[in-house]
Structures are given as structure tokens and as C-alpha cells.
Amino acid sequence: IKVEDSFIIGPEELKDIDVFMEEWISFLKDTKGDMAGDLLSDACIYQGGVGRLSETAREVSAKHPVLYEYACQQLLNEKNEIECEKLGLESIGILPEKLVIRGKIADLTAKAAKQLGHASIIKECYEAAFYSESTLNHYLRLFELPDYKDITDRAAKHANALPENSVWEGNNNKQLLVNYLSKEHKKVIRFFSGEFDYIFEDCKKDKTELGWSSQFKGIAIPLFILLLNQNRRLTKAGQRLIDGIEYRLGFKEDDIKSFTDSFFSWKEKVILTNEQYEKYAKWLEKEVDKRTEAVVGGGHRKSYYKAAVLIAALGEALESNGKPYGRMTAIEYYKKMYSRKSAFRAEFEMLNEK
């Protein structure tokens, strides 16, 4: 409910609304929590628009940094990119780097800077966004910058040093959430920073063939398959791998929209040696074979599609690197091996391109 909605309830016009609102704002300034921050933002807009909201954000930045975010979003909505950029940069300089909300504000500021064509500020905001909210998409975005190599190397080291558990001041104060990365997400960043051999050796220690849904190998194997594939276009099997990665990493809707494009843009900058390709390809063939035997040979019907996707996607990757009929050969091999598993064989039909 908005503030103005509460003032139109009842038969008579309320008196001294301004006095009440100022007292209400004063009270909310000293009250902790996300709800207080939301109510304070609403009250400021009611009393003096985005100008009052920006002014109050400066006063209570330590307790309610969310006001900076709301003010920047409001300025963007009003197409006032100049003021949004100015306020965003101000808040980035004031708020502690460890706060996730600083990253969200940097995102909004970057949008304003893009509209204004301010390349140096876009760079500053991209870096600030990652250092405060170290998501994979924020990391991949750094590869768009001209001097991305040093920037992404430094950023990966920063990510690896982050705490692995979430911390904020009370369950109702998420605006003070501190940046963190799970062990799994740290490994993903290391993969995209080019530490392929590290991830390869780490995965080799994991001998599991079932339960990949909760193991890092369930992310790493699809990533390696997609890395080896030289094609720019995603097939149905490739898209299923991407979908699985997005699900495992807990991507939100906005993340999903940009991940595929960011992934292909990143891959254009990756150089693998022939030795690396051969090593990863042989390992993947063995892993996919063991996975298929465990899933299909073990009669886990609900997971047949997972094995089929891996087989088709790996075959496509090998074919893209010069293996004749790589996809068809791989599929036919496993169809013949499990000729009595009609449900498994049918999964490949779902992956055929129209």
C-alpha cells in the first residue's frame, strides 16, 4: 500500500498531513530493516519526489542504502540519466564495497552511463558491480572491456577471497547483505577466468557417476562440453546444457537473458591448445560413458534425458572440431548399446533439430 492510499480512506479530509509525514520520515530514518527502508522511500517520494529521496539517501546511507537504489531507479524511470549517473557514482564512493546493494546501484548507474555514452564510467560501474555483487554475469561482463585481461584476473582473485556464507544484519535487513560466493560459484568463476586445468584436475578427483545434480561435476562437465564446441549456434542439446547450468547457479530471469550472449562473447576470447583439447575431449568421453552406464544401465528412467543430452552435446562438440559425423556416431553407438531401452532411445528424438 502507498502512503497516499491511506489518506483517501474515510469520509473526511485528513488534516496536518505534512506534519505527520515529517514525523513519519524522522521515525523511519532511525528504524532498521527493509520494510522501514521501503516505507521511507515511499514517504520521501510523497513529500518531495526524487529530490527528497536523494537527499534522505545521503543522510541515512549507513542504515538504509536501499534509498540510493530506489532514487537511481526513479531517475532512470524519469529518463534523467545525468542525475542518475551522478547520484550513482556518489553512492558507489560512499557505500562499503562489500555491500551487495552497492553492486545493484552500480548496475543502474552503468545503464545511465550507457545512455550517455560515457565509456570510462561504464568501466568503473562494471568493476564496482562485480566487486560488490560477484555474480557470474557481472564477471562475464568484464570481458567486454578493452583491457579485460588484467581486470578479469584481479576480479577472479577477489572472488576467490570472498566469504562463502551470506551475512546481513538480521533477517529483515537484506539491504545490508554482504557480498559472498559459495565454493561452487568460486569454482565457476575460476573456470571462466581460464583456470581450466585446475577445474579439470579438481573434477577428476570426483568419482561419482550418479547424483551430479548436487555435485560440482554436474556444472563442470556441461561447461567443458560447451567450451570445446566451436559452433556459434546453440542446438537443442546445447541449450539444455545452458538451461541446466542456469538452474544450478540459481539464475534469475534477468541473468538468463544475458548469460548465453555473454558466454559466446567470452568464448571468442578463449584460446585452447591442441594438447588441452585432446586431454579434455578424452576425459569427457570417459565421463559421459560412465554417466550413461550408471543412469541408463541402472534403469534410472527419469534421468535418461540427462544422459542423452550429454551424448548428443559431446558428439556435436567433437564434430565441430573435425570429427566426421561426431554427433550421429555417438548417438548410434549408445542406441545400439542400449537397444532394449526404448525410452532412452526416444530421448534422442527430442533433441533432433527441425
Short mmCIF file of all heavy atoms in Angstrom, two decimals, residues 4 19 28 31 86 93 109 149 152 168 197 214 232 236 244 268 317:
data_model
loop_
_atom_site.label_atom_id
_atom_site.label_comp_id
_atom_site.label_asym_id
_atom_site.label_seq_id
_atom_site.Cartn_x
_atom_site.Cartn_y
_atom_site.Cartn_z
N GLU A 4 -0.17 7.61 -0.09
CA GLU A 4 -1.34 8.39 -0.49
C GLU A 4 -2.63 7.59 -0.42
O GLU A 4 -3.71 8.15 -0.22
CB GLU A 4 -1.15 8.97 -1.91
CG GLU A 4 -0.91 7.93 -2.99
CD GLU A 4 0.56 7.73 -3.26
OE1 GLU A 4 1.36 7.89 -2.33
OE2 GLU A 4 0.91 7.41 -4.41
N VAL A 19 2.78 17.56 8.56
CA VAL A 19 3.39 17.40 9.88
C VAL A 19 3.58 15.93 10.20
O VAL A 19 4.64 15.49 10.66
CB VAL A 19 2.52 18.08 10.97
CG1 VAL A 19 3.10 17.79 12.37
CG2 VAL A 19 2.45 19.57 10.73
N LEU A 28 11.20 6.74 10.63
CA LEU A 28 11.72 5.68 9.76
C LEU A 28 13.22 5.78 9.55
O LEU A 28 13.90 4.76 9.37
CB LEU A 28 11.00 5.72 8.41
CG LEU A 28 9.51 5.34 8.42
CD1 LEU A 28 8.88 5.61 7.07
CD2 LEU A 28 9.35 3.85 8.79
N THR A 31 14.79 3.72 12.11
CA THR A 31 14.28 2.36 12.25
C THR A 31 15.00 1.43 11.27
O THR A 31 15.09 1.72 10.08
CB THR A 31 12.77 2.31 11.96
OG1 THR A 31 12.10 3.23 12.83
CG2 THR A 31 12.22 0.92 12.17
N LYS A 86 25.16 10.70 -11.77
CA LYS A 86 25.82 11.49 -10.74
C LYS A 86 25.54 10.91 -9.34
O LYS A 86 26.46 10.72 -8.53
CB LYS A 86 25.31 12.93 -10.80
CG LYS A 86 26.06 13.92 -9.90
CD LYS A 86 25.41 15.30 -9.94
CE LYS A 86 25.42 15.86 -11.35
NZ LYS A 86 24.85 17.24 -11.40
N GLY A 93 30.91 5.65 -4.25
CA GLY A 93 32.05 6.16 -3.49
C GLY A 93 31.82 6.15 -1.99
O GLY A 93 32.78 6.10 -1.21
N THR A 109 23.62 2.59 -12.49
CA THR A 109 24.49 3.69 -12.94
C THR A 109 25.10 3.37 -14.30
O THR A 109 25.24 4.26 -15.15
CB THR A 109 25.60 3.94 -11.91
OG1 THR A 109 25.02 4.04 -10.59
CG2 THR A 109 26.34 5.24 -12.21
N LYS A 149 41.83 -8.36 -19.71
CA LYS A 149 42.68 -9.42 -19.17
C LYS A 149 43.10 -9.14 -17.73
O LYS A 149 42.88 -9.96 -16.83
CB LYS A 149 43.92 -9.61 -20.05
CG LYS A 149 44.78 -10.81 -19.67
CD LYS A 149 44.04 -12.11 -19.94
CE LYS A 149 44.90 -13.34 -19.66
NZ LYS A 149 45.17 -13.55 -18.24
N THR A 152 39.91 -8.90 -15.38
CA THR A 152 39.27 -10.18 -15.02
C THR A 152 40.16 -11.02 -14.12
O THR A 152 39.66 -11.76 -13.26
CB THR A 152 38.89 -10.97 -16.28
OG1 THR A 152 40.03 -11.13 -17.12
CG2 THR A 152 37.79 -10.26 -17.06
N TRP A 168 24.13 -10.77 6.93
CA TRP A 168 23.49 -9.46 6.97
C TRP A 168 23.01 -9.22 8.39
O TRP A 168 22.95 -10.12 9.22
CB TRP A 168 22.36 -9.32 5.96
CG TRP A 168 21.21 -10.27 6.12
CD1 TRP A 168 20.32 -10.33 7.14
CD2 TRP A 168 20.83 -11.31 5.21
NE1 TRP A 168 19.40 -11.32 6.94
CE2 TRP A 168 19.68 -11.95 5.76
CE3 TRP A 168 21.33 -11.75 3.99
CZ2 TRP A 168 19.05 -13.00 5.12
CZ3 TRP A 168 20.69 -12.80 3.37
CH2 TRP A 168 19.58 -13.40 3.93
N ASP A 197 42.65 -26.11 -16.38
CA ASP A 197 43.38 -27.26 -15.86
C ASP A 197 43.12 -27.48 -14.37
O ASP A 197 43.04 -28.62 -13.91
CB ASP A 197 44.89 -27.09 -16.10
CG ASP A 197 45.28 -27.33 -17.55
OD1 ASP A 197 44.47 -27.93 -18.29
OD2 ASP A 197 46.38 -26.91 -17.95
N SER A 214 23.76 -32.48 -7.49
CA SER A 214 24.24 -31.79 -6.29
C SER A 214 25.76 -31.73 -6.23
O SER A 214 26.33 -31.30 -5.24
CB SER A 214 23.71 -32.50 -5.04
OG SER A 214 24.14 -33.86 -5.01
N ARG A 232 28.85 -21.44 -33.15
CA ARG A 232 28.26 -20.26 -32.50
C ARG A 232 26.79 -20.49 -32.19
O ARG A 232 26.24 -19.94 -31.25
CB ARG A 232 28.42 -19.05 -33.43
CG ARG A 232 27.74 -17.79 -32.96
CD ARG A 232 28.51 -17.08 -31.88
NE ARG A 232 27.74 -15.97 -31.31
CZ ARG A 232 28.20 -15.12 -30.41
NH1 ARG A 232 29.41 -15.26 -29.95
NH2 ARG A 232 27.45 -14.15 -29.94
N LYS A 236 19.60 -27.92 -29.75
CA LYS A 236 18.70 -28.26 -28.65
C LYS A 236 19.48 -28.85 -27.48
O LYS A 236 19.20 -28.54 -26.31
CB LYS A 236 17.63 -29.23 -29.11
CG LYS A 236 16.58 -28.61 -30.02
CD LYS A 236 15.49 -29.62 -30.37
CE LYS A 236 14.42 -28.99 -31.25
NZ LYS A 236 13.37 -29.97 -31.62
N GLY A 244 20.52 -26.14 -17.83
CA GLY A 244 20.91 -26.83 -16.61
C GLY A 244 21.89 -26.03 -15.78
O GLY A 244 21.80 -25.98 -14.55
N GLU A 268 34.82 -16.39 -27.42
CA GLU A 268 35.60 -15.87 -28.54
C GLU A 268 37.00 -15.44 -28.12
O GLU A 268 37.92 -15.38 -28.93
CB GLU A 268 34.87 -14.69 -29.19
CG GLU A 268 33.63 -15.09 -29.97
CD GLU A 268 32.87 -13.89 -30.50
OE1 GLU A 268 33.29 -12.74 -30.17
OE2 GLU A 268 31.88 -14.07 -31.22
N ALA A 317 30.17 -31.34 -30.15
CA ALA A 317 31.43 -30.64 -29.87
C ALA A 317 32.59 -31.29 -30.63
O ALA A 317 33.43 -30.60 -31.23
CB ALA A 317 31.72 -30.64 -28.37
#
